[in-house]
Amino acid sequence: MKNRMRVTFTLATVAIAATIISIFLSARRRKKHDSSSSCYLHSEQKPQSAFKRVLSDNSYTQFKHLNNDENASNSHPFEAEITAFLKTPPPEIEFGTVDLEMKDSYVWVHTETQLKELVDALSEERFFAVDTEQHSLRSFLGFTALVQISTVEKDYLVDTIALHDCMGILRPVFANPSICKVFHGADNDIVWLQRDFHIYVVNLFDTSKACELLSKPQKSLAYLLETYCGVTTNKLLQREDWRQRPLSAEMVHYARTDAHFLLYIANCLINELKQLDNENSSSSDKFHFVLEASRRSNMICLQLFTKDIEAYPGESSALSLFSRQVCSHGSTSISNETQNIVRQLCAWRDLMARIHDESLKYVLSDQAIVALASQPSASYSEIHKIIAQADINVEMGVNSFIISSSPVVCSHLSDIYHMLANKLVNDDDDIYSVILQKCIGENGSCPLSIFNYALLINSNLRPNLAHKQLGPKSSKQYSRKASRDLFVQKFSCKSPVYHNCRIFANDGRLLCYCDEKKLKWYLSRDLAKLVDDDPPAIMLLFEPKGRPEDEDNDFYIQSKKNICVGCGEGNHYLRYRIIPSCYRIHFPEHLKSHRSHDIVLLCVDCHEVAHAAAEKYKRKIAAEFGIPLYLRRVVHPGQKTKKQIEESGVSPLQLRTAAMALLRHGPRMPLNRREELTEIIKRYYGGRDISDEDLERALQVGMTPHERRRFEKKRGFSFKHSTGSTATVPEQNNHIGCSPRMSNVDDLKTDVHDGSYENEVDTELFMRKDDFRNSTSASDLTVNGPDSAALNEDEITVATADCNEGGDSATVNVDNSCRNRTQTNGLGDLSCSPNDEKSIHTEHNSKLSLLGHGPHGKQVVEHLLREYGEDGIREFCQRWRQVFVDAVKPRFLPGGWDVKHRL
């Protein structure tokens, strides 16, 4: 009995202990689960979570391309094959008979065995059609969700989600130069296949390039399907969630249609190209349309996928939206505290999107960032309401599928709350390090994945450090960097330049891309109707004056990116005019109105390179045409005789700065300095004594009415004896007629009241002191040579009229040594014709400033039009485009941009 009781007691004790241990372990597991389940990814499995290997993760490291033994990792692995194919394209592209009928059966490829069978089948073909479907909303970089391949006999739908890790099996077939791959608009498909599978295409025929050569009214696949096959498709299905399995019957039909009819369409287009070749066979300069279509198509194959790595993506857009909001309430600035919140929110959004493999717009929209930054004291519940209201106020098409607030925000709401209260990070802490440790560090709340693991092992490669340079080694370097940063902040575009909204003609043809403001202008006047929301598109209700095909160029019907066309910088950019304004402003109206081809976006560094090259080429133009860049002298109209004109006169810049200095500081100046400046003014008036009224008139010499109004507004300075008041920027006009003392920019700053002149910056040009000094060389002053006699004869002298006298006459003295010169640059002789007289009399345009290159540009354009007509202007523009390309070497020019573009 005692033994039984002892056993019973022992068992009971063990049971109680086991129960206690079980409860303790259960509580511990629950606590651990609670602490780690704050992230929604613990309970939501996305399709890409099954991928075992990704070629492009979400880290800040650059993408590594397939590395053939003979190629570096950053070069195209099949560049040699594609280049050889471009040099010796196939003599003839022949598709034979292609059946238009689409059968009910198709092959769904979702196993590795089926994929290998597909490769064997494709290896026997001479051509096949390809299309892809992408998913980008729930992925940071996006991924290929489906590949459609069609041969003459069969249609294949390849499940790239199930076969993601073995899609490389298709690589040899796509790189086989003996098999032609048919795409439509392959620019994106090419880089997407590289990004996801290291698949590179060799031997491509792009039906959209054939449309270009055939001058089709539209290049869209929907247009081709309807025109050649009588098939209509619902393009809204393109924005469906192609991750879902199984696909709906409607989605399957859409996916098959895009690839199946492509072979038939390609065959029709090639026959039309061959017909053009036959019609052109009698021409001595034969153009091979089929070969050109092949060449343009295979140029696409040389594209390489690159990651867009930016510091604080979306920040400029958010700041622009917020700026517009506060300006509408009467304010004109954004506080530093608000800017800091926006910056942190953008950084947080970028890192959260990378960690959770979500798109930026899925995590938090730009509008939501602006709304949150404007209410930093919001509570947890208010944060949800603010985000929801911000997203409701903006119709963003695909964003209508996003449930506000996103799961990312819900899981990490405390981060936003503390950021708004400025408590998430200390001043010395790095927000990236803090977020990384909180999310995927040792005790992080988010699961590690193949998409975010590289963020940890490459944690030193963050955007705020990737673009951070070592501290300046000297005060001069520091000053230059600070000046550059200030310039970027003040003069870079504050909002996206290209909105890529579309305008269609009343017959459905795409006319152009435009911004939202122009779109709303048409809609508000009932001149158009809205036909699409994302991106916005309208159809005009009237017949437009011109169409893109009239231009013989597809530049105006291409979407454009808001990045520097030179280096791809996306954080800041400025508009840059490839054809300098001093020439373009004098072009005939129809050659410059609504012409955006020669206006591009450049970052501040590429802008400086382009500007330096443009200034150098202007000097070459000046010597070539015999038209000096600047007015050498201006004289008062009271000087009538030739001797008076030769002995009087002064540089317009000297005259203006001397008059300003005397008016502002004359009584306080040292006597010798005041006399020196007075002599400058006297030379303009022919040596007579001058009054304050003369000084005020001299100050306005060469000003346009707009300049006078701007100067009066900026300086708060009006003139007693003038009709207006304004000034241009002396520092930017590296004037050639200045005296040794006035040729230095620093002297200008001394003479001008508070140095505000040098703060005025022309959006087209940067002027450095070196440019200023270099422009005063003898080579810039003369046409015939460096000798002083030629220098005196080749100057341009203008007799001005006082503003309040109402005269606009000007005397321009140009020596007859401006002789014809034979050029080898394609324009032939572009120099001035010799004159029998020493000078000519012309009318001075009162709207044209005498400072800067305006008069030079006007004379150059007038000479071109007089001698060569509008063809001379067109060739002149081509020369400037070539200068830009040679200097900047742009890698991100919009599609359709061409040096030989005809206005």
Side-chain angles (χ1 to χ4, degrees):
M1 178 67 67
K2 289 181 180 180
N3 290 336
R4 188 181 302 162
M5 290 177 64
R6 189 180 293 111
V7 171
T8 303
F9 178 77
T10 302
L11 291 174
T13 303
V14 171
I16 293 171
T19 302
I20 294 173
I21 294 173
S22 177
I23 294 172
F24 174 77
L25 292 176
S26 178
R28 187 174 181 179
R29 281 196 302 269
R30 189 183 302 112
K31 181 178 181 181
K32 182 178 180 180
H33 176 73
D34 291 341
S35 65
S36 62
S37 63
S38 60
C39 181
Y40 68 100
L41 289 179
H42 288 287
S43 57
E44 178 185 343
Q45 290 296 311
K46 296 192 289 186
Q48 61 263 42
S49 301
F51 299 166
K52 295 180 180 178
R53 178 173 178 262
V54 292
L55 301 173
S56 184
D57 56 41
N58 297 340
S59 68
Y60 299 102
T61 56
Q62 285 293 347
F63 179 78
K64 292 184 178 180
H65 284 272
L66 183 68
N67 187 10
N68 285 353
D69 294 337
E70 300 178 358
N71 293 292
S73 59
N74 290 329
S75 64
H76 199 297
F78 295 94
E79 182 177 358
E81 291 84 346
I82 297 172
T83 303
F85 198 83
L86 289 171
K87 292 179 180 179
T88 57
E92 187 173 344
I93 302 177
E94 185 62 58
F95 286 169
T97 303
V98 180
D99 189 8
L100 189 59
E101 180 185 0
M102 188 168 73
K103 302 175 183 177
D104 293 334
S105 62
Y106 66 93
V107 180
W108 178 260
V109 180
H110 63 102
T111 66
E112 187 173 348
T113 301
Q114 288 178 306
L115 190 62
K116 291 179 180 178
E117 293 173 354
L118 173 60
V119 171
D120 293 338
L122 295 179
S123 300
E124 302 298 323
E125 300 287 339
R126 290 186 300 112
F127 50 84
F128 58 84
V130 186
D131 192 24
T132 68
E133 302 299 339
Q134 300 291 313
H135 180 80
S136 59
L137 180 62
R138 299 297 307 276
S139 171
F140 183 74
L141 292 174
F143 61 89
T144 305
L146 188 71
V147 171
Q148 306 98 280
I149 300 176
S150 290
T151 65
V152 175
E153 299 295 332
K154 290 183 179 180
D155 297 332
Y156 301 89
L157 300 184
V158 183
D159 185 354
T160 54
I161 295 179
L163 296 172
H164 181 274
D165 298 324
C166 54
M167 282 293 292
I169 295 173
L170 285 172
R171 192 177 302 132
V173 178
F174 277 79
N176 189 340
S178 63
I179 304 175
C180 179
K181 277 68 68 174
V182 182
F183 285 76
H184 179 84
D187 300 76
N188 289 328
D189 297 304
I190 292 295
V191 294
W192 287 337
L193 291 173
Q194 296 173 8
R195 174 196 66 194
D196 294 335
F197 316 120
H198 271 171
I199 290 178
Y200 299 83
V201 179
V202 181
N203 189 358
L204 167 68
F205 183 81
D206 191 331
T207 50
S208 69
K209 298 302 179 184
C211 289
E212 290 179 4
L213 288 168
L214 292 169
S215 299
K216 294 292 182 183
Q218 290 188 44
K219 295 192 302 180
S220 67
L221 183 56
Y223 167 79
L224 296 177
L225 285 169
E226 187 173 356
T227 302
Y228 290 97
C229 309
V231 175
T232 58
T233 58
N234 180 9
K235 278 300 176 182
L236 292 177
L237 290 170
Q238 192 174 33
R239 289 182 279 168
E240 286 291 318
D241 187 354
W242 287 94
R243 302 175 303 163
Q244 62 177 285
R245 298 291 184 268
L247 298 175
S248 67
E250 190 179 18
M251 294 172 71
V252 168
H253 184 269
Y254 171 84
R256 290 185 61 196
T257 300
D258 276 4
H260 175 85
F261 293 103
L262 205 51
L263 291 178
Y264 178 83
I265 292 171
N267 194 46
C268 294
L269 295 175
I270 286 176
N271 288 334
E272 293 181 29
L273 291 170
K274 289 179 179 179
Q275 185 177 351
L276 288 178
D277 281 337
N278 295 333
E279 294 173 357
N280 196 37
S281 59
S282 59
S283 173
S284 58
D285 186 19
K286 184 177 180 181
F287 183 82
H288 296 277
F289 286 89
V290 176
L291 295 183
E292 179 62 15
S294 174
R295 186 191 69 82
R296 293 189 185 186
S297 298
N298 282 284
M299 284 294 293
I300 302 173
C301 298
L302 290 173
Q303 293 184 119
L304 285 173
F305 169 74
T306 57
K307 288 183 182 180
D308 292 330
I309 300 177
E310 301 177 357
Y312 306 105
E315 180 187 17
S316 60
S317 176
L319 280 175
S320 171
L321 290 169
F322 189 84
S323 179
R324 273 181 264 167
Q325 179 182 349
V326 297
C327 286
S328 64
H329 292 85
S331 178
T332 58
S333 62
I334 306 173
S335 67
N336 292 334
E337 181 183 0
T338 300
Q339 291 188 44
N340 184 56
I341 293 175
V342 171
R343 191 177 183 86
Q344 287 198 17
L345 283 172
C346 289
W348 177 87
R349 178 180 66 171
D350 176 65
L351 196 54
M352 283 297 177
R354 294 175 185 273
I355 291 172
H356 299 85
D357 195 33
E358 306 283 8
S359 64
L360 293 175
K361 59 188 175 184
Y362 182 82
V363 175
L364 195 63
S365 68
D366 285 344
Q367 290 73 22
I369 288 178
V370 170
L372 289 170
S374 63
Q375 301 184 49
S377 59
S379 63
Y380 282 88
S381 60
E382 289 173 337
I383 289 174
H384 284 294
K385 294 178 182 178
I386 292 170
I387 295 174
Q389 188 60 46
D391 291 340
I392 289 173
N393 291 340
V394 181
E395 297 178 5
M396 299 184 65
V398 70
N399 280 22
S400 60
F401 298 103
I402 302 175
I403 301 174
S404 219
S405 303
S406 70
V408 181
V409 171
C410 295
S411 298
H412 303 276
L413 187 62
S414 62
D415 288 348
I416 297 179
Y417 176 80
H418 288 113
M419 267 188 290
L420 296 179
N422 200 23
K423 296 179 180 178
L424 181 64
V425 295
N426 298 324
D427 293 339
D428 296 331
D429 289 338
D430 176 15
I431 188 172
Y432 285 90
S433 300
V434 172
I435 297 297
L436 275 177
Q437 291 304 315
K438 287 186 64 174
C439 292
I440 52 177
E442 184 176 357
N443 298 312
S445 60
C446 304
L448 278 172
S449 71
I450 55 174
F451 295 100
N452 62 31
Y453 179 67
L455 286 169
L456 275 181
I457 61 175
N458 298 306
S459 59
N460 61 316
L461 295 176
R462 299 186 291 272
N464 61 329
L465 296 183
H467 296 273
K468 187 176 181 179
Q469 303 296 326
L470 293 176
K473 298 179 180 179
S474 67
S475 59
K476 184 176 180 180
Q477 288 181 344
Y478 180 85
S479 176
R480 180 175 177 83
K481 181 180 183 301
S483 177
R484 179 188 182 278
D485 293 343
L486 180 62
F487 186 93
V488 170
Q489 179 181 357
K490 188 172 182 180
F491 294 104
S492 62
C493 298
K494 301 301 186 296
S495 61
V497 175
Y498 303 123
H499 297 165
N500 291 320
C501 303
R502 296 162 294 165
I503 298 181
F504 292 95
N506 49 11
D507 59 359
R509 298 180 184 181
L510 179 62
L511 291 176
C512 65
Y513 283 82
C514 68
D515 58 16
E516 292 180 359
K517 185 177 180 180
K518 179 175 286 188
L519 216 67
K520 293 176 181 178
W521 187 90
Y522 282 109
L523 292 173
S524 64
R525 288 161 176 78
D526 295 326
L527 297 175
K529 62 180 180 180
L530 191 67
V531 294
D532 201 355
D533 294 324
D534 186 30
I538 60 171
M539 180 179 289
L540 300 181
L541 302 178
F542 60 90
E543 177 61 29
K545 184 177 181 180
R547 292 177 178 270
E549 54 265 31
D550 300 334
E551 304 290 337
D552 192 27
N553 188 284
D554 61 355
F555 171 81
Y556 296 101
I557 53 175
Q558 300 287 335
S559 61
K560 300 172 180 64
K561 294 183 178 180
N562 289 291
I563 59 174
C564 169
V565 300
C567 63
E569 169 67 55
N571 291 318
H572 76 272
Y573 38 80
L574 306 89
R575 291 182 180 88
Y576 178 78
R577 291 166 177 81
I578 296 174
I579 316 299
S581 295
C582 66
Y583 304 111
R584 189 176 185 272
I585 192 175
H586 303 295
F587 286 0
E589 189 64 28
H590 64 281
L591 294 184
K592 63 181 178 181
S593 178
H594 300 288
R595 306 285 171 170
S596 60
H597 181 273
D598 296 317
I599 301 177
V600 296
L601 300 182
L602 291 179
C603 67
V604 64
D605 301 311
C606 292
H607 196 296
E608 188 171 3
V609 171
H611 165 67
E615 289 300 295
K616 181 178 179 180
Y617 199 70
K618 279 183 186 178
R619 294 194 286 270
K620 181 178 178 181
I621 292 291
E624 174 185 331
F625 284 69
I627 302 175
L629 276 175
Y630 302 94
L631 292 180
R632 174 64 173 171
R633 289 186 302 157
V634 290
V635 299
H636 191 268
Q639 320 310 312
K640 300 299 183 182
T641 68
K642 180 179 179 181
K643 183 178 180 180
Q644 286 178 320
I645 292 177
E646 289 178 351
E647 292 178 353
S648 62
V650 67
S651 155
L653 181 58
Q654 270 189 304
L655 181 65
R656 182 176 298 184
T657 53
M660 173 63 79
L662 289 171
L663 282 170
R664 293 299 182 111
H665 310 293
R668 300 189 300 274
M669 278 185 178
L671 180 61
N672 59 343
R673 177 58 174 163
R674 185 166 67 247
E675 291 176 349
E676 179 184 346
L677 296 179
T678 302
E679 283 301 315
I680 293 175
I681 306 299
K682 285 183 175 182
R683 286 205 303 271
Y684 169 68
Y685 286 105
R688 66 174 175 83
D689 292 334
I690 58 173
S691 63
D692 287 346
E693 182 179 347
D694 291 328
L695 289 178
E696 293 177 1
R697 288 175 178 171
L699 184 60
Q700 299 176 76
V701 168
M703 285 189 186
T704 66
H706 171 70
E707 289 171 339
R708 288 193 292 272
R709 289 192 299 269
R710 188 178 66 179
F711 185 81
E712 183 176 1
K713 179 179 179 181
K714 181 177 179 61
R715 303 290 297 173
F717 182 76
S718 60
F719 305 105
K720 300 176 184 177
H721 307 284
S722 63
T723 57
S725 50
T726 285
T728 51
V729 188
E731 183 184 356
Q732 293 176 353
N733 300 288
N734 38 344
H735 210 59
I736 62 178
C738 298
S739 64
R741 178 176 179 84
M742 296 301 293
S743 65
N744 191 307
V745 178
D746 292 331
D747 289 322
L748 291 180
K749 295 179 183 178
T750 301
D751 290 335
V752 180
H753 179 47
D754 58 4
S756 61
Y757 271 35
E758 64 267 23
N759 294 331
E760 185 101 3
V761 180
D762 184 86
T763 56
E764 180 191 358
L765 303 176
F766 300 108
M767 293 303 298
R768 298 190 302 260
K769 293 182 181 180
D770 291 340
D771 298 328
F772 188 93
R773 288 189 289 267
N774 292 340
S775 296
T776 62
S777 64
S779 61
D780 293 330
L781 303 180
T782 68
V783 177
N784 290 334
D787 60 285
S788 59
L791 172 64
N792 293 331
E793 291 179 347
D794 289 340
E795 66 189 20
I796 294 181
T797 304
V798 175
T800 65
D802 292 335
C803 296
N804 57 346
E805 294 174 0
D808 286 330
S809 64
T811 301
V812 183
N813 290 339
V814 182
D815 184 72
N816 61 5
S817 58
C818 179
R819 299 181 176 86
N820 290 330
R821 297 173 181 81
T822 302
Q823 304 297 328
T824 58
N825 51 24
L827 273 180
D829 177 18
L830 292 181
S831 302
C832 302
S833 300
N835 301 305
D836 295 332
E837 298 179 310
K838 284 286 182 180
S839 66
I840 58 174
H841 184 79
T842 184
E843 291 297 318
H844 168 58
N845 182 359
S846 62
K847 294 184 179 180
L848 185 65
S849 174
L850 295 181
L851 293 176
H853 302 157
H856 159 82
K858 184 174 186 291
Q859 293 181 63
V860 169
V861 172
E862 287 176 348
H863 174 72
L864 287 173
L865 289 172
R866 182 173 60 250
E867 298 294 330
Y868 309 100
E870 293 183 357
D871 285 341
I873 297 294
R874 294 186 178 97
E875 293 187 41
F876 186 67
C877 292
Q878 291 176 15
R879 293 171 61 181
W880 278 105
R881 295 187 195 113
Q882 192 61 53
V883 169
F884 172 76
V885 170
D886 293 343
V888 179
K889 297 178 176 54
R891 295 177 291 135
F892 300 93
L893 283 167
W897 193 94
D898 188 4
V899 169
K900 296 185 178 181
H901 174 75
R902 293 184 63 82
L903 299 176

